[in-house]
Amino acid sequence: MNLLAPAHDKLLFTPGPLTTSARVKQAMLHDAGSWHFEFNDKVRWIRDELLRVAGVSREQGWEAIPLQGSGTFGVEAVFATCVPPQGKVAVLANGAYGERAVQMLVHAKIDHTVLRTPEHTPNDPAALDAALEQDAAITHVCAVHCETTSGILNPIAALGAVTRRRGRAFIVDAMSTFGGLPIDLEHVGVDYLISSANKCLEGVPGFTFVLCRRARLLACEGWARSLSLDLLGQWKGFEKNGQFRYTPPTHALLAFVQALIELEQEGGVPAREGRYRRNHATLLAGMTALGFRPYLHPDVQSPLITSFHYPADPRFTFEVFYRALSDRGFIIYPGKISQADLFRIGTIGRVFPADLEALVAAIQRTVQEQGWRV
Ligand SMILES: *Cc1c(COP(=O)(O)O)cnc(C)c1O
């Protein structure tokens, strides 16, 4: 085992943590006092910038609340804080992250119902409409924008329209889409959006953040089931003295300032979406030319992460495939679907079409060397 970093990092074709720019990494070569005004100014700037990236503002009643921990902590914080004691959540699930949301509700002993579709099938807005009509106890609806398990895109605009028409609050796990795909919060009718630093915003892991309507948040007084995951408490901490309530991931926040500057320099969300779409198109063209088959129908496939079937050759093993690509400097991702043998390739992070071409070339050489029939 080599405990020290190699001279060159391998490229990560994963859904986060992902490859970051050299300058994002360099931004971490500083120690910052979490109570110091210069650091707090940066936290304030990050909060405002997140709203700007989302196309909303404080004046319009929106707040951005960073929270220590990975993305899961952000989703759990919304449930723990914003669902009233007698509340009930309808979860739309077609993969591991929807199921994880269900697990959070089980742990928090929050009443819930689950509307499942198969892993290759988007959430069903009509089924949601029927559930909301039938069950007056449901107070919140939770959906996953891109279910990273497969890479499928769920119809959050249609789900949001149903949720708003039925007068419920809408929680969106946009972990793997925010910053990489446009999301019109007002039009979709989002009340709480959760994402994290180390996905399409191309920062390093360390914190999650929630974008929410201030009026919704303020109405949650007294409901928090957790101290450290109390979103309203976290917001009050920022409002009081500009600080995280407990030790923040200072280096990750410094890196995030640079990551947000780079998003702006790239041309904002539309330009980043364009690069991710070119990455995905390059990957798909190369892989299908080699004979690999994508798992999802193109109509529901996100440009962020793509699942491919294993080659039909019985001699294929993912472990050998993964190792060979790693030796060539490329890290891919195992599958996560229960119903099919798949591997996944992410096209987000500081990677470009030329990197995807290099990956496809490495896959081709590996397949040839192993003599696998694809
Ligand atoms: C990454 C991700 C999460 C959060 O995962 P963490 O490992 O806790 O950061 C949640 N939902 C989706 C859709 C994701 O892609």
Side-chain angles (χ1 to χ4, degrees), residues 71-143:
T72 301
F73 293 57
V75 180
E76 199 153 14
V78 170
F79 290 146
T81 308
C82 306
V83 179
Q86 303 307 320
K88 179 170 181 178
V89 183
V91 180
L92 294 132
N94 55 354
Y97 292 104
E99 297 300 335
R100 189 179 296 177
V102 175
Q103 284 306 307
M104 293 172 194
L105 295 165
V106 170
H107 281 255
K109 300 182 172 61
I110 294 172
D111 196 10
H112 57 276
T113 183
V114 189
L115 303 170
R116 287 191 177 84
T117 46
E119 288 161 317
H120 51 57
T121 307
N123 308 148
D124 181 357
L128 175 65
D129 195 32
L132 296 183
E133 176 168 34
Q134 230 176 53
D135 189 349
I138 296 171
T139 51
H140 292 67
V141 172
C142 177

Side-chain angles (χ1 to χ4, degrees), residues 15 70-73 97 100 144 146-148 173 175-176 196 198-199:
S70 80
T72 301
F73 293 57
Y97 292 104
R100 189 179 296 177
V144 180
C146 170
E147 182 46 91
T148 319
D173 171 348
M175 214 67 69
S176 56
S196 84
N198 60 282
K199 300 227 178 179

Side-chain angles (χ1 to χ4, degrees), residues 274-308:
R275 175 162 60 88
Y276 290 166
R277 288 193 183 281
R278 289 192 295 281
N279 286 350
H280 171 73
T282 305
L283 173 71
L284 199 64
M287 292 296 279
T288 49
L290 295 182
F292 284 94
R293 281 187 308 123
Y295 169 69
L296 291 173
H297 193 278
D299 290 352
V300 298
Q301 170 70 58
S302 73
L304 311 168
I305 183 160
T306 311
S307 299
F308 292 97

Side-chain angles (χ1 to χ4, degrees), residues 227-281:
L227 174 67
S228 56
L229 298 181
D230 178 356
L231 204 60
L232 178 56
Q234 184 84 346
W235 177 79
K236 285 181 182 170
F238 286 127
E239 294 304 302
K240 189 173 86 189
N241 56 17
Q243 297 180 18
F244 279 72
R245 284 178 305 163
Y246 314 121
T247 304
T250 47
H251 298 79
L253 288 154
L254 295 178
F256 199 59
V257 170
Q258 177 63 27
L260 288 173
I261 290 171
E262 289 179 14
L263 173 62
E264 177 66 17
Q265 285 171 345
E266 185 170 359
V269 176
R272 183 149 298 177
E273 178 191 12
R275 175 162 60 88
Y276 290 166
R277 288 193 183 281
R278 289 192 295 281
N279 286 350
H280 171 73

Side-chain angles (χ1 to χ4, degrees), residues 31 45 134 302 341 369-370:
D31 300 311
W45 182 85
Q134 230 176 53
S302 73
D341 280 331
E369 267 173 23
Q370 298 294 329

